[in-house]
């Protein structure tokens, strides 16, 4: 009985081992390489698979997802003989598990070494100042170079990114000094442009102010001249109208006598005003003959009236 129990246990253990050896569950986005008696048999995709125990075995396991690997920092010499430290990232994807298993021993090491070699070659063809500007070009050249070789490994190089470019400390100080000088230069140019524009604006403002002032003075003179001309015309019109009215009044009955009386009154009044305003008095030689003076004044008035109204 005990021998039979031991035999059953042995058979059970053997069955478990056989099941473990023969049943394989492969996760999504993975591929397994199966060898039969040491020779490639087939490639298994995601899912449940049964292998022949003791004949088949899973020799390689690969993920078909995109993978990223860090490329170690390395020393590169630029075209202008400056030493820089450059590192990067490479993105790979296994597209053929069989080629990856049998085409190369370790595709990751091969890709990393090829990336470093290509990177040194690319950096050696450009100057230091260009290395920071030409990152995209460097990335494309590295991807193109590795991808051509990786086709035989069953690997697709998706992209390469330069992570950091570190120049020597002395070069960094020189670059910082250069950038500082460039910024100061741009600031000085900006200040000078501002001063220039400010001067132009002030000059333009002064010019406009002078023009407006001169226009104002010109208009003022024109207005004053027009005002004086109109005043002169108004005085002339008033004088003409007053002379015409006097002539009409002289023709009226008693007009001559009234005019003679008015002239005599003004004559006497003017002499009285002169006596009040000044200590010196000019006395005409014929002051006693007031009537003759009035007559002379009236004769002159009549002449003026005849000239004003020649048809009277």
């Amino acid at each position: 009985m005990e021998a039979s129990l031991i035999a059953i246990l042995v058979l059970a253990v053997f069955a478990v081992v056989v099941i473990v050896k023969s049943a394989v569950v492969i996760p999504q986005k993975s591929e397994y390489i199966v060898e039969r008696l040491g020779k490639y048999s087939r490639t298994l995709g995601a899912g449940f698979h049964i292998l022949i125990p003791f004949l088949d075995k899973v020799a390689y396991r690969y993920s078909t997802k995109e993978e990223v690997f860090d490329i170690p920092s390395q020393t590169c010499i630029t075209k202008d003989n400056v030493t820089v430290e450059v590192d990067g990232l490479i993105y790979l994807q296994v597209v053929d598990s069989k080629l990856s298993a049998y085409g190369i021993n370790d595709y990751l090491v091969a890709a990393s070494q090829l990336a470093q070699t290509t990177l040194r070659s690319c950096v050696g063809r450009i100057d230091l100042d260009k290395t920071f500007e030409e990152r995209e070009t460097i990335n494309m050249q590295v991807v193109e170079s590795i991808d051509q070789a990786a086709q035989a490994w069953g690997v697709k190089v998706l992209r390469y990114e330069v992570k950091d470019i570190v120049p020597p400390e002395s070069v960094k100080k020189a670059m910082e000094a250069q950038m500082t000088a460039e910024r100061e230069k741009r600031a000085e140019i900006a200040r000078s442009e501002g001063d220039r524009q400010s001067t132009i604006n002030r000059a333009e403002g002064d010019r406009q102010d002078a023009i407006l002032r001169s226009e104002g003075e010109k208009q003022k003179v024109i207005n004053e001249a027009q005002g004086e001309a109109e005043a002169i015309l108004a005085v002339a019109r008033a004088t003409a109208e007053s002379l015409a009215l006097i002539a009409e009044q002289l023709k009226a009955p008693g007009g001559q006598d009234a005019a003679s009386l008015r002239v005599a009154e003004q004559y006497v009044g003017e002499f009285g005003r002169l006596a009040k305003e000044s200590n010196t008095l000019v006395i005409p030689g014929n002051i006693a003959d007031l009537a003759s003076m009035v007559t002379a004044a009236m004769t002159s008035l009549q002449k003026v009236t005849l000239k004003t109204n020649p048809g009277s």
Side-chain angles (χ1 to χ4, degrees), residues 34-247:
V34 177
E35 292 180 351
R36 179 170 294 174
L37 299 177
K39 183 179 179 181
Y40 171 77
S41 175
R42 63 189 181 275
T43 301
L44 301 180
F48 179 78
H49 301 274
I50 299 296
L51 303 180
I52 299 176
F54 306 106
L55 296 180
D56 295 340
K57 75 169 185 176
V58 176
Y60 301 96
R61 292 176 174 85
Y62 291 104
S63 172
T64 58
K65 294 186 291 186
E66 181 178 347
E67 300 176 273
V68 57
F69 302 100
D70 186 33
I71 304 299
S73 178
Q74 63 173 329
T75 301
C76 301
I77 301 177
T78 62
K79 185 179 179 180
D80 49 353
N81 296 321
V82 178
T83 302
V84 293
E85 295 289 331
V86 185
D87 58 358
L89 298 172
I90 189 169
Y91 296 79
L92 305 174
Q93 184 178 20
V94 175
V95 295
D96 191 327
S97 299
K98 182 181 179 181
L99 290 178
S100 298
Y102 302 105
I104 193 169
N105 184 39
D106 190 336
Y107 68 85
L108 178 58
V109 174
S112 177
Q113 294 296 321
L114 186 57
Q116 290 181 324
T117 303
T118 306
L119 185 61
R120 285 194 295 268
S121 176
C122 293
V123 173
R125 291 196 295 266
I126 56 179
D127 295 329
L128 176 63
D129 294 338
K130 295 293 184 180
T131 55
F132 301 96
E133 303 174 7
E134 300 292 337
R135 286 196 178 195
E136 290 298 327
T137 303
I138 295 174
N139 295 339
M140 292 176 59
Q141 291 177 357
V142 172
V143 169
E144 183 180 355
S145 177
I146 301 175
D147 194 47
Q148 290 178 356
Q151 291 178 3
W153 310 336
V155 176
K156 175 66 177 177
V157 180
L158 302 176
R159 58 189 179 277
Y160 178 85
E161 296 291 339
V162 174
K163 189 166 62 173
D164 199 8
I165 300 176
V166 182
E169 193 64 28
S170 59
V171 176
K172 289 174 63 176
K173 292 181 179 178
M175 294 174 66
E176 291 174 358
Q178 181 180 359
M179 288 187 293
T180 301
E182 186 65 26
R183 284 194 294 267
E184 291 177 352
K185 174 185 175 183
R186 289 196 296 266
E188 188 64 29
I189 291 174
R191 283 194 295 269
S192 65
E193 287 293 333
D195 293 340
R196 173 177 173 271
Q197 191 62 43
S198 176
T199 302
I200 292 174
N201 292 341
R202 286 196 296 269
E204 185 66 24
D206 294 340
R207 175 175 172 272
Q208 292 294 332
D209 181 67
I211 292 174
L212 293 176
R213 288 179 182 274
S214 64
E215 289 291 336
E217 293 294 334
K218 173 184 176 183
Q219 192 62 42
K220 177 182 177 182
V221 172
I222 291 173
N223 292 340
E224 290 177 351
Q226 290 178 348
E228 292 177 358
E230 291 177 358
I232 292 172
L233 289 176
V235 171
R237 291 191 188 98
T239 303
E241 291 176 358
S242 64
L243 291 176
L245 182 61
I246 291 172

